[in-house]
């Protein structure tokens, strides 16, 4: 079991470990790096414990926090790793890559076509302008 307490100060952590009869190796502390980070101390400490490899699958973690006055809380967590994310199949990735490249080329072609051939556009606005000009001529 790993204890991840609120990181208020080192004296409190040592007194808690001594009072509970817990070896100090089981009491995770990152006070030397950050100091008292208030309400973020437990999540930061838990994240660091995981990064350092102190937490493994099915480990029991005890998080204990306290605040001003007589406010306190504790949670026992049995750690389980998230399921691995399914990687899309290679053909699906290749097909998507190809579709995006074709769409990019088609978009580029259409922009160049409108730039070089402004009178050949098949857009509704150009057609309406041509119809109005035809009606205005006697």
């Amino acid at each position: 079991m790993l204890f991840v307490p609120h990181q208020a100060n080192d004296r409190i952590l040592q007194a808690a470990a001594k009072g509970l009869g817990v070896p100090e190796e089981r009491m995770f502390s990152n006070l030397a790096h950050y100091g008292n980070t208030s309400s973020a101390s437990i999540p930061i400490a838990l994240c660091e414990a995981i990064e350092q490899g102190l937490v493994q699958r099915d480990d029991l973690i005890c998080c204990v926090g306290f605040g001003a006055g007589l406010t306190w809380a504790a949670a026992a967590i049995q750690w389980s790793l998230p399921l691995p994310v399914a990687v899309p199949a290679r053909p699906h990735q290749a097909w998507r890559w190809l579709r995006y490249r074709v769409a990019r080329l088609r978009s580029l072609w259409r922009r160049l076509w409108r730039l070089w051939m402004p009178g050949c556009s098949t857009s509704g606005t150009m057609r309406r302008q041509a119809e109005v000009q035809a009606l205005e001529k006697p």
Side-chain angles (χ1 to χ4, degrees):
M1 178 183 291
L2 179 67
F3 288 87
V4 182
H6 169 60
Q7 309 288 310
N9 68 45
D10 207 27
R11 285 190 333 262
I12 293 174
L13 295 180
Q14 291 170 354
K18 185 178 178 182
L20 293 170
V22 176
E24 286 191 32
E25 305 85 51
R26 293 204 166 218
M27 189 81 70
F28 186 81
S29 175
N30 63 359
L31 275 167
H33 300 289
Y34 302 107
N36 185 353
T37 54
S38 188
S39 62
S41 65
I42 293 174
I44 291 171
L46 181 58
C47 185
E48 282 198 358
I50 293 166
E51 288 174 353
Q52 292 177 16
L54 298 175
V55 178
Q56 301 299 321
R57 187 178 183 91
D58 295 327
D59 278 356
L60 192 60
I61 303 166
C62 182
C63 299
V64 182
F66 58 88
L70 298 174
T71 306
W72 62 274
I77 304 167
Q78 185 167 7
W79 191 258
S80 63
L81 297 175
L83 295 174
V85 178
V87 178
R90 279 298 234 194
H92 178 72
Q93 288 176 333
W95 179 246
R96 185 175 60 190
W97 179 86
L98 182 62
R99 279 193 345 233
Y100 284 137
R101 295 311 178 270
V102 168
R104 183 184 295 169
L105 288 173
R106 186 177 61 218
S107 175
L108 177 64
W109 172 253
R110 287 179 177 174
R111 278 186 273 137
L112 291 174
W113 180 263
R114 284 190 294 260
L115 182 67
W116 289 335
M117 307 289 186
C120 297
S121 176
T122 57
S123 70
T125 306
M126 294 294 282
R127 247 184 277 130
R128 281 192 292 278
Q129 286 176 353
E131 290 171 1
V132 169
Q133 287 175 355
L135 291 174
E136 289 176 351
K137 291 182 183 177

